[in-house]
Amino acid sequence: MNANHHESSDLSRTRITLRGPAELADALPFVLGFHPTDSVVLVALHGEHGRFGGRVRLGIPRSPREWASTADHLAECLVEGGSRSGTRPDGIVVFLCQDPAAGETGRSVMERLRPFAQRLRTACGALDIPVYEALCISDGLYFSYCCPDTRCCPADGTPLALSGTSVMAATATYAGVQVRGSLRDMERRFQPSGGPREEEQRAALDASAAAIVPRILEDVEGKGRVEVRETTLRLAREVLHRFARPAGEAGPTGRTAGSTVPRSVRGSLAGTAESDAADDALVETGEAAALILGLQDRVTRDRAAEWMEGWEGTAALRLWRVLARRCVAPYQEHAAAPLTLAGWTAWSTGDEPTARVALGLALDIDPEYVFARLLHQACNEGLDPESLRSCLRSERDDRIASDEAASGTSPRVRTRVARPQSSRQTLRKPGRRTAGEERRSSAGVRPGGPAAGRPGSGTPRRGGQRDTRSGR
């Protein structure tokens, strides 16, 4: 089952036979990496044995008037995405997941969503792809819109299997696959949490906007923009090193980067509210505001995208999470940049569930954010991020070589480590898009030292200016 190409690599090599609606419903969280809440999910099936392939997820529209267009859009995305990769689906499974509202039952949710399920089946059928099963999951029950046999699919629903008791759960546990809680839990890690510091962060954003935005927009010669760019990247590199060192571990200066919590306890806090709060404490409100405003410049954001692997990628994902949480009202739309960077970094480092959630949130904020749209599509189609990483490395090296040549210094000798070829389809090398659209790729600077090394192992490299841009 092709549930998750990075984290589920062991599971994807294991053949698991799912028999009936009950096991399909139980498998969904392992396919996505989280429990979808308030979501419509379409999963592609391939071959005579119905091997799982691509999948798309979207929040269920609140207005029934949007159901028809949403159904058409989702069906087209899944089928066209498979066709582009040469694996057009042979069938589709539909999941509608929604908790009951006050006064509702699981069955009433199922009945309320029945027209949406039927519209999804019609949309897939219009593309000559049959829907083999359509399930509604609500209130701990599953309901089938396709199975007429009340002996296996009663009208009042069937309880879901107890967590961890199914064959799928046992196989996933053996393969090291984790379900990361609910979609709401994952989204909450990227959203402002409120509290007394929110007003302080808002004031810092106001001050930074007044100081930075005019320099970006009103400088005809672009000098102010370049200065803001270099200042932002310099600050980002400094902050990034705080996240690269485990809390309590002394850095090159002998200072520690946080509390002295034992390593075993720190590991148990990973992914919790406590660890996010510890990350928040590493970034001051003024620093967060300056970084958020600076990342609104496309080139600055693109250059920051090079922190994408090794210790850089791990540290950068935590930093982008912090910045997304600091985009308090009325600066919510500014979160598109750090959310997209978080999605790219998560995908590049093998965390596809987090990547999909972050990129989905970025598109909720700005559906026309091109960089997020391209990454979201590529991630959902199961493409390999290595070709984009390679392009970023090449553009970074070209920029550094150009800077060294302009300054008259001797170019550095660089060696490349051969990387294993992936069997997965790779992204095409980004290039110029037609009709005025911007380039797909992004490039940037990186903190000192190679990505696989420890922070502080090299001298920070200076980044130059380039003429190409990613889409917004």
Side-chain angles (χ1 to χ4, degrees):
M1 182 176 295
N2 226 3
N4 186 308
H5 296 288
H6 288 291
E7 295 178 294
S8 307
S9 57
D10 292 335
L11 183 61
S12 65
R13 291 192 293 266
T14 303
R15 184 170 180 175
I16 305 171
T17 301
L18 303 178
R19 299 179 176 85
E23 294 186 356
L24 279 173
D26 179 66
L28 182 60
F30 300 98
V31 172
L32 297 177
F34 54 85
H35 292 275
T37 49
D38 195 28
S39 298
V40 50
V41 182
L42 272 61
V43 180
L45 303 178
H46 300 277
E48 60 177 329
H49 298 295
R51 176 179 55 85
F52 276 19
R55 60 275 195 196
V56 293
R57 187 208 65 84
L58 194 67
I60 295 176
R62 295 186 179 182
S63 171
R65 288 178 291 185
E66 301 178 25
W67 289 353
S69 60
T70 300
D72 293 340
H73 174 69
L74 288 173
E76 290 173 2
C77 284
L78 186 61
V79 174
E80 290 180 3
S83 298
R84 282 193 296 270
S85 63
T87 54
R88 180 179 170 86
D90 296 302
I92 290 176
V93 177
V94 173
F95 299 89
L96 294 174
C97 309
Q98 191 171 76
D99 293 331
E104 275 193 317
T105 63
R107 180 172 181 178
S108 61
V109 171
M110 181 271 292
E111 293 294 349
R112 175 168 52 79
L113 295 177
R114 183 183 291 276
F116 189 25
Q118 184 57 40
R119 190 64 184 81
L120 287 162
R121 297 174 67 184
T122 302
C124 295
L127 299 173
D128 295 326
I129 307 294
V131 172
Y132 291 146
E133 183 60 89
L135 298 177
C136 177
I137 300 176
S138 180
D139 198 25
L141 305 169
Y142 73 84
F143 306 81
S144 174
Y145 291 112
C146 297
C147 180
D149 191 344
T150 57
R151 292 172 298 178
C152 62
C153 298
D156 290 331
T158 305
L160 296 169
L162 293 176
S163 177
T165 61
S166 66
V167 174
M168 181 71 182
T171 305
T173 301
Y174 178 78
V177 178
Q178 295 182 347
V179 177
R180 301 158 184 263
S182 71
L183 175 62
R184 290 194 189 97
D185 293 335
M186 297 184 71
E187 290 178 337
R188 194 174 295 119
R189 300 191 67 192
F190 291 101
Q191 297 168 336
S193 57
R197 294 198 64 186
E198 187 166 302
E199 186 59 39
E200 181 183 351
Q201 186 62 65
R202 186 178 298 108
L205 285 164
D206 289 340
S208 291
I212 292 175
V213 173
R215 297 177 64 192
I216 294 177
L217 299 180
E218 298 175 5
D219 186 356
V220 177
E221 298 181 359
K223 294 181 179 179
R225 180 186 293 267
V226 173
E227 290 174 356
V228 170
R229 182 178 303 149
E230 295 304 323
T231 300
T232 301
L233 291 168
R234 189 161 49 247
L235 175 60
R237 286 195 296 268
E238 176 186 335
V239 174
L240 194 71
H241 280 71
R242 304 175 196 169
F243 288 87
R245 293 192 300 272
E249 180 179 301
T253 62
R255 299 177 59 187
T256 61
S259 63
T260 56
V261 179
R263 186 180 299 272
S264 59
V265 177
R266 290 199 304 270
S268 67
L269 294 179
T272 65
E274 288 84 356
S275 63
D276 286 342
D279 285 348
D280 285 329
L282 296 178
V283 186
E284 298 176 359
T285 55
E287 294 173 329
L291 291 174
I292 290 169
L293 270 297
L295 288 172
Q296 303 310 303
D297 173 63
R298 295 188 184 103
V299 177
T300 305
R301 180 209 63 197
D302 292 349
R303 288 169 59 175
E306 283 191 2
W307 299 324
M308 59 187 175
E309 52 194 335
W311 70 265
E312 294 174 356
T314 302
L317 178 57
R318 294 165 61 192
L319 173 57
W320 307 143
R321 270 200 181 107
V322 170
L323 297 185
R325 290 195 293 266
R326 299 293 185 88
C327 292
V328 300
Y331 291 90
Q332 298 98 321
E333 65 179 17
H334 288 68
L339 284 169
T340 301
L341 286 170
W344 158 240
T345 306
W347 183 37
S348 178
T349 55
D351 188 352
E352 289 187 9
T354 297
R356 292 192 187 94
V357 170
L359 293 170
L361 288 172
L363 292 174
D364 287 343
I365 293 172
D366 185 354
E368 301 304 318
Y369 204 86
V370 178
F371 193 25
R373 287 172 58 190
L374 294 172
L375 291 172
H376 194 249
Q377 177 181 331
C379 184
N380 280 333
E381 291 180 8
L383 303 183
D384 192 337
E386 173 54 29
S387 60
L388 182 52
R389 284 195 297 257
S390 178
C391 184
L392 291 173
R393 297 186 200 105
S394 296
E395 292 196 9
R396 178 201 61 223
D397 291 346
D398 290 345
R399 186 185 63 252
I400 294 175
S402 177
D403 290 345
E404 290 171 339
S407 62
T409 59
S410 58
R412 304 174 189 174
V413 177
R414 295 181 179 83
T415 58
R416 297 250 181 169
V417 179
R419 296 177 179 270
Q421 293 295 321
S422 171
S423 60
R424 297 168 57 197
Q425 179 181 352
T426 59
L427 287 164
R428 295 187 300 271
K429 184 174 181 179
R432 290 197 176 277
R433 295 173 60 83
T434 60
E437 289 187 70
E438 299 134 341
R439 297 187 62 197
R440 294 189 187 187
S441 66
S442 53
V445 297
R446 65 195 298 176
R454 295 291 297 161
S457 60
T459 303
R461 300 172 179 174
R462 294 190 58 195
Q465 183 178 4
R466 65 188 181 97
D467 298 327
T468 59
R469 302 182 303 177
S470 285
R472 184 187 169 200

